[in-house]
Amino acid sequence: MAIREIIILPDKQLRLVSKPVEKVTAEIRRLAEDMLETMYDAPGIGLAAIQVAQPLRLITMDLAKRDENGETAPKPRVFINPEIVAKSEEMSVYEEGCLSIPEYYEEVERPARVRVRFTDLDGKVIEEDAEGLYATCIQHEIDHLNGVLFVDYLSKLKRDRVMKKFTKAAKRAGE
Ligand code: GNR
Ligand code: NI
């Protein structure tokens, strides 16, 4: 396994619409393993392939909670070609962050529950109901596959402010 570089704003690749995974090849398995390692290292609870510059509809996630000793029993999950097939009318608000927008957090309102259909690494099609952090995270990740970022849900003022901050930082780094 290897840790890959996570791309950050204002990298234009984050706006790409990712392509479906046609077949679960050895290369896809390796990408999924690398994404899990990259996600744990960051650390983050989810990662979309485009965040490591691969425009494929592939997501990793681990929502395992820390126990009282601060230990985690890892629950690595891989979602191939995930789709939201139903969503609740009820909405919920979570404070979101994104590894591609480091150290920026804002509240986002999304459907509280969604039904997600995806293929697993064995090529099996699975449907699950998601709520709570799982619902928020899967919607955040599927947005990445469509070139959408959580800042797109904020006011234009807030979005412009964060875009400008990261554009400036990139310019400074490049000088
Ligand atoms: O690590 C992450 N935490 C998080 C918190 C609230 C809502 C969504 C997320 S996903 C994020 C990692 C990431 O950027 N995934 O694309
Ligand atoms: Ni993200």
Side-chain angles (χ1 to χ4, degrees):
M1 293 217 284
I3 293 169
R4 303 200 189 192
E5 190 187 332
I6 296 176
I7 62 172
I8 65 169
L9 276 184
D11 195 316
K12 287 194 171 64
Q13 293 176 91
L14 290 167
R15 293 308 189 175
L16 291 175
V17 176
S18 294
K19 294 266 189 325
V21 172
E22 299 290 350
K23 195 162 171 265
V24 184
T25 59
E27 199 181 340
I28 291 295
R29 284 169 196 283
R30 191 163 50 93
L31 174 59
E33 283 191 2
D34 287 358
M35 284 171 59
L36 282 165
E37 192 177 354
T38 303
M39 181 184 84
Y40 288 126
D41 174 71
I45 59 173
L47 194 70
I50 193 59
Q51 293 180 276
V52 293
Q54 301 297 314
L56 288 167
R57 302 187 84 81
L58 177 66
I59 287 167
T60 57
M61 197 182 294
D62 191 333
L63 302 174
K65 287 234 172 65
R66 279 171 200 284
D67 67 18
E68 54 279 12
N69 304 316
E71 303 286 326
T72 54
K75 276 203 198 114
R77 304 204 62 189
V78 177
F79 300 81
I80 298 166
N81 302 333
E83 291 172 69
I84 305 286
V85 295
K87 51 192 177 189
S88 64
E89 272 182 43
E90 192 196 326
M91 306 289 278
S92 75
V93 175
Y94 257 95
E95 184 174 81
E96 299 195 15
C98 182
L99 294 170
S100 297
I101 313 172
E103 288 161 51
Y104 184 76
Y105 306 90
E106 277 289 349
E107 287 189 335
V108 176
E109 188 179 44
R110 299 183 186 269
R113 292 176 305 281
V114 295
R115 187 161 181 84
V116 58
R117 181 187 296 150
F118 61 97
T119 301
D120 71 8
L121 280 174
D122 300 321
K124 199 171 127 198
V125 178
I126 296 173
E127 266 191 38
E128 277 182 14
D129 290 311
E131 61 176 12
L133 186 56
Y134 181 21
T136 291
C137 194
I138 196 74
Q139 291 176 80
H140 174 117
E141 302 310 338
I142 291 174
D143 273 353
H144 274 300
L145 307 185
N146 296 322
V148 174
L149 301 170
F150 83 90
V151 294
D152 298 344
Y153 298 102
L154 307 180
S155 67
K156 180 169 161 33
L157 180 71
K158 281 184 178 171
R159 185 171 56 254
D160 286 352
R161 208 185 273 154
V162 64
M163 289 293 180
K164 202 169 158 187
K165 182 183 147 185
F166 280 91
T167 304
K168 266 190 176 169
K171 280 209 184 97
R172 273 201 302 274
E175 274 165 12

